[in-house]
Amino acid sequence: MEQGEPENKITEVILTKLEATPAVLLQAGISVDHGHYSVSLLIDTSERPDIKAVFEGHLKQQEGECSTIWGGPPNDLTASWILLVFKKPVTTKVLFEFDVLRHGPLLDRLVDGRHVVLAQGIRGENLDTALQDGRGVLNIEVAPPKDWDGIWQKAIISRTGLSPEEAASVIEATRAEMIVRVQNPSIPPFDELAGVFLDDKEKRMIFTSNRMLINQLHRDGPAVAASFDEHLWSEIEALSPEYSRITSYANFGTLKATREGNNVCLLAGQLIGNALNNIAAATELIRLGYRLQPSVLLRPAIEWISMAGYLFIYPDTLGQFKAGKIKSTDIMTTVGKEINPVIPKAWGFLSNDFVHVGNLHQRIQLPEKYESAEDAAAKTNLLGIHVTLMIASIVAELVFFDVAKPHEYWREVKPGHFEFLTESPVWQRLEEIASRLSIEVEQPPQTT
């Protein structure tokens, strides 16, 4: 606080809202040059012509005058305000509001450096860009508060209940960590902080970034996908022909059903199409390193595929389906008896081991890079993809028998009656894959 300024002046400013309006802070940064810290703040001036006038005035006249007033609300020890009072070349007041616990490291560096750089901008702009463009910056000397350590310490105690000695240790450890943080871009900058955890046992502060989802999608995900492509891409090349064949059955069958006005086959094609999208999504999740989530998508895919088969066998139930009166368990029982018993077995396996809470959910399954082609979780998930595709192929070939050629699973023994080809090498392959997933395989019915 500037010498001679009353302690409560800043409180009056906030309460009346007449002397200063809080500035919108877009971004903040800390840099160090020859051992001296500098804090930079990017302010949104889109609705603050008074602040914009300060920048324009300094472009014309280099000299200026600005004083600093520190304060905070009387009933909240975790809040801190800084009021910049500009007197030349333009008269205005700019108020900044901070959460001491969250922004303490930033304020500490500002107090240490006694200097702040202000840049003007709008939402979406980058601090570094704003500092370098032609709109000018304001270099302001900031007078420190009388007892910054005491302010920071009281904020920590108020929020955490630590003792004064413990709070002082946290501050000391945080300052040491800030030296590393300024020099290490992997530690989140001020404006990207999602949270701060006070580890009273280790006497340190742990920072988390609010860009974790963005980083997962733009940074970590592509790196994991690249490791999958390096070690396991041949698996996708092996699955793609089966996926493409089923897609062609569903597309051609849906087109034929539309022209013939066959609502049952039309809906069956749409169900199978949505199931294929789930299979593609599950495959992409595997590629991105997710070990637990892919199989969660396969379970509803099998259910939708089974519904398509159920409607083919019992077309009169179309109205019940649209009314939501057909139970999943009834669907599975029927397709197990009428089409192939591996279908409800696979559905149950995915339900029990992946969808319903169990042993696999007891620890966090992180999306990690693939180190080899023998990654056990990847292999299991890819086998699940393969089984689901073969189930889709069994049902799609039956529902769209006229367009699904060559036939690998079924032969038509008489119009409307079909026999499963148990001697088919494709069926033998399905038996082998299902058994590797511990899915019990039984012989399918002779005719459908």
Side-chain angles (χ1 to χ4, degrees):
M1 176 177 293
E2 220 176 40
Q3 292 294 323
E5 295 285 357
E7 293 283 344
N8 64 347
K9 182 175 180 181
I10 190 83
T11 303
E12 294 173 359
V13 169
I14 293 300
L15 292 177
T16 62
K17 294 289 184 181
L18 295 176
E19 294 192 57
T21 302
V24 176
L25 185 60
L26 298 176
Q27 197 174 1
I30 304 173
S31 60
V32 61
D33 184 25
H34 297 95
H36 297 285
Y37 287 95
S38 177
V39 171
S40 302
L41 305 178
L42 178 61
I43 312 170
D44 185 353
T45 57
S46 59
E47 297 182 5
R48 291 295 302 268
D50 59 323
I51 301 178
K52 187 176 291 187
V54 176
F55 282 94
E56 292 172 351
H58 275 274
L59 284 174
K60 300 174 183 177
Q61 178 181 333
Q62 293 299 315
E63 290 187 8
E65 184 178 344
C66 178
S67 60
T68 310
I69 303 174
W70 290 73
N75 298 321
D76 185 359
L77 295 176
T78 65
S80 183
W81 303 325
I82 302 176
L83 181 67
L84 299 180
V85 182
F86 291 92
K87 300 174 182 177
K88 290 190 332 186
V90 176
T91 301
T92 191
K93 296 174 181 178
V94 182
L95 178 68
F96 295 99
E97 300 177 316
F98 296 98
D99 179 329
V100 178
L101 197 64
R102 182 183 178 198
H103 305 146
L106 177 87
L107 295 174
D108 188 61
R109 296 303 88 200
L110 191 152
V111 170
D112 181 74
R114 301 192 178 198
H115 177 260
V116 65
V117 177
L118 301 184
Q120 60 173 322
I122 58 175
R123 292 189 183 278
E125 285 192 312
N126 181 272
L127 174 60
D128 292 335
T129 302
L131 290 172
Q132 296 171 15
D133 70 12
R135 286 172 292 181
V137 296
L138 303 179
N139 291 282
I140 300 171
E141 297 298 321
V142 177
K146 287 182 178 179
D147 183 18
W148 162 243
D149 277 27
I151 294 172
W152 197 2
Q153 191 177 105
K154 288 175 183 177
I156 294 173
I157 294 170
S158 172
R159 188 77 62 86
T160 66
L162 294 178
S163 69
E165 294 75 16
E166 291 171 327
S169 296
V170 167
I171 291 173
E172 183 180 350
T174 302
R175 283 175 173 153
E177 190 168 343
M178 282 302 299
I179 297 174
V180 178
R181 180 180 169 195
V182 171
Q183 301 171 348
N184 185 355
S186 67
I187 300 176
F190 155 76
D191 59 302
E192 294 181 5
L193 281 176
V196 180
F197 174 70
L198 290 172
D199 186 348
D200 58 328
K201 184 177 180 179
E202 297 293 332
K203 302 296 184 293
R204 61 176 180 167
M205 298 180 81
I206 301 173
F207 304 93
T208 55
S209 168
N210 62 15
R211 295 181 59 84
M212 294 176 73
L213 180 59
I214 295 171
N215 290 340
Q216 183 60 46
L217 297 177
H218 283 177
R219 184 193 67 193
D220 302 337
V224 175
S227 71
F228 178 95
D229 294 349
E230 178 184 355
H231 297 293
L232 292 154
W233 185 250
S234 60
E235 300 277 355
I236 304 300
E237 291 179 330
L239 293 171
S240 186
E242 184 84 357
Y243 180 93
S244 304
R245 189 163 62 90
I246 301 164
T247 301
S248 69
Y249 294 169
N251 289 345
F252 299 154
T254 300
L255 177 62
K256 185 172 183 289
T258 301
R259 290 175 176 173
E260 295 176 352
N262 187 333
N263 291 330
V264 168
C265 285
L266 175 60
L267 179 56
Q270 293 167 339
L271 288 167
I272 293 172
N274 282 327
L276 288 169
N277 287 337
N278 260 39
I279 294 170
T283 306
E284 182 67 16
L285 285 178
I286 298 170
R287 183 170 175 264
L288 290 171
Y290 295 93
R291 269 69 168 181
L292 179 61
Q293 290 73 21
S295 293
V296 176
L297 290 178
L298 296 180
R299 192 246 200 183
I302 291 177
E303 191 169 317
W304 303 340
I305 293 164
S306 300
M307 188 69 238
Y310 184 94
L311 289 172
F312 177 77
I313 298 169
Y314 299 111
D316 293 341
T317 62
L318 180 60
Q320 289 179 266
F321 169 75
K322 290 185 175 181
K325 295 182 178 180
I326 302 178
K327 296 180 180 179
S328 299
T329 50
D330 293 339
I331 297 169
M332 290 301 154
T333 300
T334 299
V335 298
K337 291 179 179 178
E338 302 289 346
I339 298 179
N340 198 298
V342 78
I343 299 176
K345 297 286 186 181
W347 180 76
F349 164 74
L350 294 172
S351 300
N352 296 330
D353 285 37
F354 292 94
V355 176
H356 302 318
V357 176
N359 292 332
L360 291 176
H361 303 85
Q362 293 180 18
R363 67 180 183 87
I364 296 177
Q365 306 281 344
L366 296 174
E368 298 174 331
K369 287 184 178 181
Y370 295 97
E371 302 297 336
S372 75
E374 301 306 317
D375 186 278
K379 288 291 188 181
T380 299
N381 277 309
L382 289 167
L383 286 173
I385 294 286
H386 204 159
V387 167
T388 307
L389 280 174
M390 297 185 88
I391 288 172
S393 190
I394 290 171
V395 174
E397 184 179 306
L398 176 64
V399 174
F400 303 116
F401 190 81
D402 291 345
V403 299
K405 297 175 182 178
H407 300 130
E408 295 186 333
Y409 294 100
W410 301 95
R411 71 166 61 95
E412 191 172 28
V413 292
K414 59 181 180 179
H417 293 267
F418 303 89
E419 181 180 55
F420 195 86
L421 302 174
T422 53
E423 72 277 9
S424 167
V426 181
W427 165 245
Q428 294 169 12
R429 172 66 174 155
L430 176 57
E431 285 185 303
E432 186 265 328
I433 294 173
S435 64
R436 288 170 62 185
L437 290 172
S438 300
I439 298 174
E440 185 180 349
V441 179
E442 302 173 7
Q443 287 298 305
Q446 290 299 307
T447 57
T448 296

